[in-house]
């Protein structure tokens, strides 16, 4: 069998990482964080277990990266949904509803996410976290902020506080109450965005999250990921750190 090309190797690794992220979201949603092991995630993804430790330093980093993917793509989908938001106020309403919708529909995942970012290590600086921050910053700018550098962290803090309040065990606050508070703060009409109990195509009510973890184009047949995963003490063939986009 002839060696695979560099581009095919890179695409296979990208797809492997995508499947690991998707498996992490699915399993933590189903079983909770503590009951989910890295081996479980690798098995669900159909990947060699060595690939998990190559792409992610540990379970916390993997799960937080997976939730950042879910948040980034959910927000992106809300902002791009037809009809496109006509102004910054509708964009702000959609952003608030997208994040609160995740707290409502994915409480186990979002509870673990809040617990993870409260650890001393804080946020995992992955591409999806950076894209999420960019989308929220752009939303603040489109809303008309004269000082995005100050107003973006405030929006982020308010959303994090609302998510925490919605998922705290035993005494969660109703999402509509949290939404009303945020909408009043930003002067938004209640009918903007996605009002409570409203379903939209691709909204957070959709439990099939596979669309957020695309595996891409069909590749030539060859060894499976489980067969081609890095051996202990070895890196994938191209030596690229896919998590940070840097050469090892």
């Amino acid at each position: 069998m002839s060696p695979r090309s560099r581009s095919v190797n890179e695409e296979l690794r990208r797809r492997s990482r995508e499947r690991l992220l998707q498996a992490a979201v699915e399993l933590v949603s189903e079983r909770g964080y503590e009951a989910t092991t890295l081996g479980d995630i690798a098995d669900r993804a159909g990947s060699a277990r060595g690939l998990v430790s190559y792409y992610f330093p540990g379970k916390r980093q993997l799960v937080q990266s997976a939730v950042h993917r879910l948040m980034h793509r959910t927000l992106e989908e809300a902002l791009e949904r037809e009809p496109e938001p006509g102004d910054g106020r509708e964009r702000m309403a959609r952003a608030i509803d997208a994040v609160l919708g995740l707290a409502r529909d994915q409480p186990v995942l979002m509870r673990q996410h809040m617990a993870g970012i409260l650890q001393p290590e804080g946020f995992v600086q992955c591409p999806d976290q950076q894209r999420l921050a960019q989308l929220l910053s752009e939303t603040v700018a489109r809303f008309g902020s004269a000082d995005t550098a100050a107003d973006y962290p405030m929006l982020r803090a308010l959303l994090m506080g609302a998510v925490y309040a919605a998922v705290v065990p035993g005494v969660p606050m109703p999402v509509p109450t949290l939404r009303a508070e945020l909408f009043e703060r930003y002067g938004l009409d209640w009918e903007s965005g996605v009002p409570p109990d409203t379903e939209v195509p691709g909204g957070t009510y959709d439990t099939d999250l596979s669309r957020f973890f695309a595996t891409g184009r069909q590749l030539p047949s060859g060894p499976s990921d489980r067969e081609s995963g890095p051996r202990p003490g070895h890196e994938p063939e191209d030596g690229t750190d896919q998590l940070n986009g840097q050469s090892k």
Side-chain angles (χ1 to χ4, degrees), residues 78-79 81 83-98 100 104 143 176 179-180 182-184 186-200:
L79 296 176
R81 188 178 65 249
E84 294 184 6
D87 57 25
R89 295 168 62 81
E90 173 64 18
R91 184 182 177 94
M92 178 67 76
R94 290 191 189 187
I96 292 171
D97 283 334
L100 290 181
R104 178 196 60 215
F143 185 68
R179 182 183 195 264
L182 288 170
F183 269 44
E184 181 178 359
Y186 287 100
L188 304 173
D189 296 330
W190 184 258
E191 296 305 316
S192 300
V194 184
D197 301 322
T198 300
E199 295 191 40
V200 297

Side-chain angles (χ1 to χ4, degrees), residues 125-155:
Q125 299 296 318
C126 62
D128 284 295
Q129 185 271 329
Q130 294 164 2
R131 179 57 179 152
L132 174 64
Q134 180 183 358
L135 288 172
L136 288 175
S137 182
E138 290 171 356
T139 295
V140 168
R142 292 276 296 277
F143 185 68
S145 169
D147 187 358
T148 303
D151 292 337
Y152 157 65
M154 178 58 69
L155 174 62

Side-chain angles (χ1 to χ4, degrees), residues 66-88:
V67 176
H68 280 144
R69 165 63 64 84
L70 179 61
M71 295 179 71
H72 152 214
R73 293 299 305 278
T74 296
L75 178 58
E76 184 176 64
E77 191 173 72
L79 296 176
E80 294 179 353
R81 188 178 65 249
E82 296 291 343
E84 294 184 6
D87 57 25

Side-chain angles (χ1 to χ4, degrees), residues 212-223:
F212 294 156
F213 304 93
T215 56
R217 67 182 185 275
Q218 183 67 36
L219 295 175
S221 59

Side-chain angles (χ1 to χ4, degrees), residues 2-248:
S2 60
R4 292 193 303 249
S5 69
R6 180 185 176 89
S7 63
V8 169
N9 280 326
E10 290 175 348
E11 178 65 9
L12 284 170
R13 294 186 193 107
R14 186 191 69 81
R15 291 171 59 175
S16 294
R17 188 175 185 276
E18 291 283 300
R19 286 196 295 272
L20 290 170
L21 291 171
Q22 181 177 348
V25 163
E26 293 173 350
L27 286 171
V28 173
S29 296
E30 295 168 10
R31 306 178 185 179
Y33 181 78
E34 296 300 333
T36 299
T37 68
L38 288 175
D40 295 333
I41 293 170
D43 290 344
R44 173 68 66 92
S47 296
R49 296 193 180 192
L51 281 174
V52 183
S53 58
Y54 173 72
Y55 290 120
F56 304 98
K59 185 169 71 168
R60 173 184 170 275
Q61 290 83 355
L62 168 52
V63 172
Q64 197 176 133
S65 293
V67 176
H68 280 144
R69 165 63 64 84
L70 179 61
M71 295 179 71
H72 152 214
R73 293 299 305 278
T74 296
L75 178 58
E76 184 176 64
E77 191 173 72
L79 296 176
E80 294 179 353
R81 188 178 65 249
E82 296 291 343
E84 294 184 6
D87 57 25
R89 295 168 62 81
E90 173 64 18
R91 184 182 177 94
M92 178 67 76
R94 290 191 189 187
I96 292 171
D97 283 334
V99 175
L100 290 181
L102 285 172
R104 178 196 60 215
D105 301 331
Q106 302 288 340
V108 175
L109 273 174
M110 297 307 290
R111 186 177 300 122
Q112 172 53 42
H113 182 62
M114 296 304 298
I117 62 178
L118 290 174
Q119 298 299 311
E121 298 87 349
F123 281 109
V124 168
Q125 299 296 318
C126 62
D128 284 295
Q129 185 271 329
Q130 294 164 2
R131 179 57 179 152
L132 174 64
Q134 180 183 358
L135 288 172
L136 288 175
S137 182
E138 290 171 356
T139 295
V140 168
R142 292 276 296 277
F143 185 68
S145 169
D147 187 358
T148 303
D151 292 337
Y152 157 65
M154 178 58 69
L155 174 62
R156 182 184 63 196
L158 290 168
L159 290 173
M160 289 171 62
V163 169
Y164 178 85
V167 301
V168 64
V171 288
M173 288 189 67
V175 166
T177 301
L178 297 165
R179 182 183 195 264
E181 184 70 21
L182 288 170
F183 269 44
E184 181 178 359
R185 179 183 179 89
Y186 287 100
L188 304 173
D189 296 330
W190 184 258
E191 296 305 316
S192 300
V194 184
D197 301 322
T198 300
E199 295 191 40
V200 297
T204 59
Y205 279 103
D206 190 343
T207 57
D208 181 7
L209 304 176
S210 61
R211 66 192 186 282
F212 294 156
F213 304 93
T215 56
R217 67 182 185 275
Q218 183 67 36
L219 295 175
S221 59
S224 68
D225 294 332
R226 188 177 295 279
E227 293 170 337
S228 60
R231 300 185 303 277
H234 292 72
E235 297 175 350
E237 294 172 19
D238 65 359
T240 300
D241 183 341
Q242 297 292 330
L243 183 59
N244 297 306
Q246 300 173 342
S247 296
K248 283 188 173 284

